[in-house]
């Protein structure tokens, strides 16, 4: 078996309850976005000077996502492609919100982060199993890929 198959299988073991799964479908993307938003909120002057051609996307979040995407490529190039598109949506949303919402992006992202984690832990309480990342921090990165692999299965793509 490929490493990604092992990781997705192990992650899935603590995500069998339908309520917990539903919570994860909402909260995992919310947490991913909130982390992008928090990192996007870090002043980007050094990155802007280094990568001026990226315009408003010359920021710490873009750099962090490039690193994250290398991790996903090492596990599964097809899943990495899906994660690339989701990451781009998160970056665009962070940019949009930072320009249009009167609440600072970092505050909005922090609120989403806290609320989503509260629901995640509630989902695991219902499940009766501890979150996978308590065993291995790598599973914090596997959650979004686990959801992406279901999307791939639904539309008939190999991951």
């Amino acid at each position: 078996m490929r490493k990604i198959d092992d990781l997705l299988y192990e992650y899935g073991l603590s995500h069998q309850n339908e309520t917990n799964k539903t919570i994860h479908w909402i909260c995992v993307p919310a947490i991913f976005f909130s982390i992008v938003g928090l990192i996007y909120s870090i002043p980007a002057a050094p990155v802007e000077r280094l990568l001026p051609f990226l315009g408003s996307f010359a920021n710490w979040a873009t750099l962090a996502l490039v690193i994250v995407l290398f991790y996903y490529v090492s596990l599964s190039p097809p899943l990495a492609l899906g994660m690339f598109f989701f990451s781009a949506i998160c970056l665009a949303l962070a940019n949009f919100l930072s320009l249009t919402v009167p609440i600072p992006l970092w505050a909005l992202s922090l609120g989403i982060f806290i609320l989503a984690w509260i629901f995640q832990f509630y989902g695991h309480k219902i499940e009766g199993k501890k979150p996978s990342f308590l065993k291995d921090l790598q599973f914090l990165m596997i959650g979004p890929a686990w959801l992406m692999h279901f999307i791939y299965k639904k539309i008939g793509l190999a991951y």
Side-chain angles (χ1 to χ4, degrees):
M1 273 179 92
R2 301 175 306 163
K3 182 178 180 181
I4 187 64
D5 294 319
D6 292 336
L7 291 168
L8 294 173
Y9 173 77
E10 189 171 344
Y11 188 87
L13 291 176
S14 60
H15 300 87
Q16 299 293 309
N17 178 280
E18 288 305 316
T19 302
N20 189 29
K21 284 183 184 179
T22 301
I23 290 169
H24 276 63
W25 274 100
I26 297 165
C27 293
V28 168
I31 290 168
F32 190 96
F33 165 75
S34 70
I35 293 169
V36 170
L38 287 167
I39 298 171
Y40 188 96
S41 298
I42 299 170
V47 181
E48 290 168 347
R49 284 192 297 276
L50 183 64
L51 304 168
F53 59 90
L54 289 178
S56 63
F57 293 101
N59 57 65
W60 294 110
T62 300
L63 291 179
L65 286 170
V66 166
I67 294 166
V68 166
L69 289 170
F70 275 111
Y71 171 75
Y72 286 129
V73 167
S74 75
L75 293 175
S76 167
L79 274 179
L81 183 60
M83 291 308 301
F84 168 78
F85 287 117
F86 179 66
S87 297
I89 290 167
C90 289
L91 277 172
L93 182 58
N95 183 54
F96 174 77
L97 292 174
S98 72
L99 296 172
T100 60
V101 175
I103 302 167
L105 179 61
W106 69 264
L108 181 63
S109 297
L110 184 61
I112 292 169
F113 184 84
I114 292 169
L115 190 61
W117 273 111
I118 289 169
F119 278 101
Q120 289 280 86
F121 281 105
Y122 175 71
H124 279 285
K125 181 179 169 118
I126 292 169
E127 179 92 35
K129 295 179 183 164
K130 293 181 181 178
S132 302
F133 77 88
L134 294 176
K135 177 182 175 189
D136 184 345
L137 286 176
Q138 181 175 209
F139 284 108
L140 288 171
M141 301 288 287
I142 298 304
W146 184 71
L147 296 176
M148 188 63 67
H149 106 279
F150 283 115
I151 293 169
Y152 276 39
K153 281 179 155 183
K154 183 80 170 170
I155 60 177
L157 295 176
Y159 63 90

